[in-house]
Amino acid sequence: MANNPSQLLPSELIDRCIGSKIWVIMKGDKELVGTLRGFDVYVNMVLEDVTEYEITAEGRRITKLDQILLNGNNIAILVPGGSPDPE
Amino acid sequence: MSGTGEKGSATTKTPGDFLKAIRGRPVVVKLNSGVDYRATTKTPGDFLKAIRGRPVVVKLNSGVDYRGILACLDGYMNIAMEQTEEYVNGQLKNKYGDAFIRGNNVLYISTSKRTLADGA
């Protein structure tokens, strides 16, 4: 079952993203794009070279961060390959 | 080996590795509320050892503050305090000789530089 290559567990998909860019969409108005370094069973994530986007009434507020541990509790969606937006 | 700040694509770093690597380093902790905390890191365990017997402020999720001397606490953040003062909206409302606070109500425990009764 698990060794059927056509079936990919969600955790295996995330594991394949390690080392590459990933787009994290949070519950609420927040998104992050960064390089995935690792994750655990709660999908807490270690990200590097992160850009954080906070969507506010005045527009997007951007914060750059070198390295973060992101609490998995508020993660909604993970998109491998990063954001389609330039910056 | 430390891996800190390495950019090689081969290095994976689990949250556990990250927590080990950042000990003693300056960090920013961002809450869901948007509030930032900037400081050097200590593990929660180090902190708990260090604050026993010291004056502390305990803020509950309800917003009520308790100031007093920390007698003891455990991993659930259950707390026993002495010379406790209860502050609601910064106003002193009550005093308790000894108080026990169940950990689920605790938002944070902070060391207080202010002396007791200096209050609010």
Side-chain angles (χ1 to χ4, degrees):
Chain A
M1 192 161 56
N3 50 25
N4 179 350
S6 67
Q7 267 219 342
L8 190 62
L9 294 168
S11 57
E12 290 171 346
L13 180 67
I14 305 168
D15 195 69
R16 290 186 187 192
C17 297
I18 288 176
S20 49
K21 284 271 176 191
I22 193 162
W23 178 19
V24 184
I25 305 172
M26 311 290 288
K27 293 195 261 182
D29 299 320
K30 201 170 280 187
E31 298 177 12
L32 300 107
V33 177
T35 306
L36 180 65
R37 286 296 165 216
F39 68 98
D40 65 13
V41 291
Y42 305 106
V43 197
N44 299 318
M45 306 178 106
V46 179
L47 298 168
E48 276 180 7
D49 304 322
V50 182
T51 311
E52 179 189 353
Y53 303 96
E54 285 172 278
I55 291 89
T56 62
E58 302 89 59
R60 280 196 318 187
R61 183 157 68 241
I62 293 173
T63 315
K64 301 269 189 187
L65 301 154
D66 282 349
Q67 186 172 233
I68 67 166
L69 170 62
L70 180 67
N71 190 332
N73 198 24
N74 297 295
I75 293 173
I77 303 173
L78 299 171
V79 185
S83 162
D85 284 3
E87 258 310 81
Chain B
M1 278 303 271
S2 78
T4 313
E6 271 174 21
K7 297 282 159 67
S9 61
T11 57
T12 62
K13 190 179 281 183
T14 65
D17 297 336
F18 181 86
L19 292 175
K20 272 180 224 155
I22 62 167
R23 226 163 275 185
R25 297 195 29 215
V27 294
V28 180
V29 177
K30 188 163 206 153
L31 306 195
N32 293 321
S33 61
V35 177
D36 283 2
Y37 293 89
R38 286 152 201 270
T40 49
T41 53
K42 254 186 196 179
T43 64
D46 295 340
F47 182 78
L48 297 182
K49 266 181 234 158
I51 61 169
R52 233 160 272 193
R54 301 253 310 267
V56 292
V57 182
V58 178
K59 194 179 201 79
L60 304 194
N61 291 316
S62 62
V64 179
D65 280 351
Y66 291 89
R67 290 165 175 276
I69 309 296
L70 187 85
C72 64
L73 81 172
D74 64 17
Y76 299 108
M77 291 174 90
N78 294 322
I79 295 164
M81 289 173 81
E82 295 165 349
Q83 303 167 46
T84 313
E85 298 173 335
E86 181 181 68
Y87 289 86
V88 181
N89 300 319
Q91 301 279 316
L92 180 60
K93 291 285 174 186
N94 247 319
K95 289 191 180 186
Y96 308 101
D98 283 304
F100 173 82
I101 299 169
R102 196 170 191 274
N104 65 310
N105 301 296
V106 175
L107 177 64
Y108 67 68
I109 305 165
S110 169
T111 51
S112 76
K113 293 199 183 79
R114 277 179 265 188
T115 54
L116 290 170
D118 187 21

